[in-house]
Amino acid sequence: MINDFKPGIFGALNEKKEELLRAGKKVYNLSVGTPDFEPAPHVMKAMQDACGKPENYKYSLADLPELLEAVKNRYEKRFGVHLETDEIMSVYGSQEAMAHIGMVFCDPGDVILVPNPGYPMFEMSGIMAKAEVRYYEIREENGYLPDLDSIPEEVLKRTKYMIVSYPLNPVCVCAPDDFYVRLIAFAKKHDIVILHDNAYSDITFADRPGRSFLAYEGAKDVGVEFYSLSKSYNLTGARISFVVGNRDIVSRFRLLRSQIDYGIFYPVQLAAIAALNGPDDFIERQREEYGRRNRALCGGLRKIGWNVPDSQGTMFVWVRIPEGYESSADFCIKLMEKTGVIVTPGSAFGSNGEGYVRMALVVDTDTIREILDVLEKSGMFLQG
């Protein structure tokens, strides 16, 4: 199985960054989506208080009832979705959950469907389960939505689940309501489970806030949603997310995970309770700041000749590379060497990502202006 693993692109970019730093060059790292915001004070205090109690260091074995209630309240208030307790389970971050959930559904040779381009962990869920990973194409000309009718019938007959995620990293678009209606009907018709990764529902730039897949009629019949506290609450290192939705899938996944872990550390659960039950004003302020960064970066790049569309959602920007470069990786290397600006080649997210790069909105607007000045003075031909 290890032969199926690919070297992490983020590790390779980090090595290049260290090389530039050793050479005394200033770098601007827009490659990794780690929030630069702090967690809310009341969340950090809940963690600190819990860490001071010796009884919180034992095996947790199960989710605290207060945690399950907090998730229920959050989904009701934020998304208008009612959840029952047996429709909720915690996981060590969405990435860990995605890596293991394929084992619930797949036997060797079964098929899973993942987006191209898409987050690399999506395909890993199939590799870990020894399933066959097939890709559905999402392209700019289709608004980065899948053409469900183009997926071959012989593939659908063998497909156990399909991973969908909007707002979608890396292409930074949101999906309209009618897409989810069609997706649910499609899943029912072909008896396919939908796994919806909802990491960025609190980072959207349209008038209407991001929604939950489970808000659409029939969604619980066909799938589950991954809801993370990493990006909304800046708890990336705490590794706390939830799988919510279809109770049978949740029950089966809970059984699998009971064989490989002893539950989420109690202080992390208590911090999550504080986050989910706390005020949302800081989340909204954060969303507004991401929006300012989005407009500053994209608008500024357009002014210097690089045609960059504003992001619709996520903490990233997705853009075609300028003309005259062999590949997205070639452009990234030359950009780093000439300007110190580090971005992620689109090819890291699949073959349809070739010709694009992804930039993370993880620096403030003053730094963005500094980056724009460096780019403009670099002499690189940022037209296209």
Side-chain angles (χ1 to χ4, degrees):
M1 181 184 291
I2 195 66
N3 292 328
D4 294 319
F5 296 173
K6 302 172 185 176
I9 183 62
F10 300 120
L13 290 168
N14 190 64
E15 288 181 13
K16 184 64 178 178
K17 179 192 75 173
E18 295 301 321
E19 178 185 326
L20 293 172
L21 290 172
R22 287 193 296 271
K25 193 162 190 174
K26 185 169 184 178
V27 301
Y28 304 90
N29 192 355
L30 306 183
S31 66
V32 182
T34 300
D36 59 316
F37 301 103
E38 295 180 352
H42 68 277
V43 177
M44 291 190 287
K45 186 177 187 307
M47 174 79 83
Q48 291 163 358
D49 290 348
C51 285
K53 298 178 180 179
E55 63 269 24
N56 286 335
Y57 288 81
K58 62 185 178 181
Y59 292 135
S60 57
L61 297 179
D63 296 326
L64 291 168
E66 298 89 343
L67 179 63
L68 299 175
E69 193 63 27
V71 176
K72 289 174 64 174
N73 292 340
R74 174 66 178 167
Y75 258 74
E76 192 79 58
K77 179 178 73 171
R78 172 66 178 81
F79 300 117
V81 171
H82 178 75
L83 294 171
E84 300 292 347
T85 300
D86 61 356
E87 296 174 334
I88 308 167
M89 63 179 289
S90 68
V91 290
Y92 283 106
S94 296
Q95 184 145 313
E96 177 272 318
M98 194 68 72
H100 290 115
I101 197 168
M103 299 177 190
V104 171
F105 302 104
C106 296
D107 293 318
D110 287 336
V111 169
I112 72 162
L113 292 171
V114 302
N116 178 14
Y119 190 58
M121 179 50 66
F122 293 163
E123 65 179 4
M124 189 54 62
S125 75
I127 293 171
M128 293 284 284
K130 298 184 179 180
E132 180 182 342
V133 180
R134 300 290 290 263
Y135 302 90
Y136 63 87
E137 295 192 344
I138 51 174
R139 297 186 177 276
E140 187 174 357
E141 54 266 33
N142 292 330
Y144 292 113
L145 296 174
D147 180 0
L148 299 175
D149 295 332
S150 71
I151 303 173
E153 186 66 32
E154 62 269 22
V155 171
L156 295 174
K157 288 179 180 178
R158 298 169 52 211
T159 298
K160 290 302 178 76
Y161 64 88
M162 178 179 183
I163 299 176
V164 179
S165 178
Y166 290 96
L168 177 57
N169 171 22
V171 300
C172 310
V173 301
C174 302
D177 290 337
D178 64 342
F179 166 73
Y180 291 103
V181 174
R182 289 186 286 109
L183 177 67
I184 292 166
F186 170 83
K188 289 183 176 181
K189 177 181 177 181
H190 297 285
D191 193 24
I192 293 173
V193 169
I194 301 298
L195 307 181
H196 185 254
D197 184 20
N198 198 19
Y200 297 100
S201 58
D202 290 317
I203 310 177
T204 61
F205 308 123
D207 292 336
R208 192 184 74 173
R211 301 191 69 188
S212 165
F213 163 68
L214 300 178
Y216 297 89
E217 185 176 354
K220 280 188 189 180
D221 297 335
V222 299
V224 293
E225 179 163 273
F226 295 71
Y227 182 68
S228 173
L229 303 194
S230 291
K231 306 302 167 64
S232 297
Y233 296 93
N234 309 313
L235 297 177
T236 51
R239 309 314 302 145
I240 177 73
S241 297
F242 301 92
V243 177
V244 298
N246 183 280
R247 58 169 43 91
D248 180 57
I249 295 172
V250 169
S251 175
R252 292 164 63 191
F253 195 26
R254 187 184 293 114
L255 176 61
L256 171 69
R257 294 191 76 259
S258 72
Q259 310 301 303
I260 59 177
D261 83 79
Y262 290 100
I264 303 293
F265 186 40
Y266 278 129
V268 173
Q269 291 197 46
L270 291 163
I273 292 168
L276 291 163
N277 286 337
D280 285 354
D281 54 344
F282 85 96
I283 296 177
E284 179 58 22
R285 290 195 301 270
Q286 213 167 261
R287 187 185 72 83
E288 291 173 353
E289 174 59 18
Y290 277 126
R292 283 189 288 270
R293 296 176 182 188
N294 176 35
R295 293 188 296 273
L297 180 60
C298 297
L301 290 172
R302 288 193 293 270
K303 286 181 180 178
I304 66 172
W306 194 359
N307 185 22
V308 179
D310 287 351
S311 173
Q312 296 177 22
T314 76
M315 57 191 297
F316 304 105
V317 168
W318 181 250
V319 57
R320 284 185 180 273
I321 64 174
E323 295 180 3
Y325 296 92
E326 294 179 4
S327 65
S328 56
D330 173 56
F331 171 73
C332 288
I333 294 297
K334 290 178 179 175
L335 185 70
M336 279 191 275
E337 292 174 342
K338 191 126 188 183
T339 70
V341 177
I342 306 175
V343 299
T344 305
S347 54
F349 304 99
S351 60
N352 284 354
E354 181 53 73
Y356 295 81
V357 293
R358 191 196 72 176
M359 298 175 277
L361 299 168
V362 292
V363 295
D364 60 29
T365 52
D366 287 341
T367 305
I368 288 173
R369 284 190 284 270
E370 186 177 330
I371 290 170
L372 292 167
D373 186 56
V374 168
L375 292 176
E376 187 172 23
K377 292 177 179 177
S378 71
M380 297 185 73
F381 299 101
L382 297 177
Q383 287 87 25

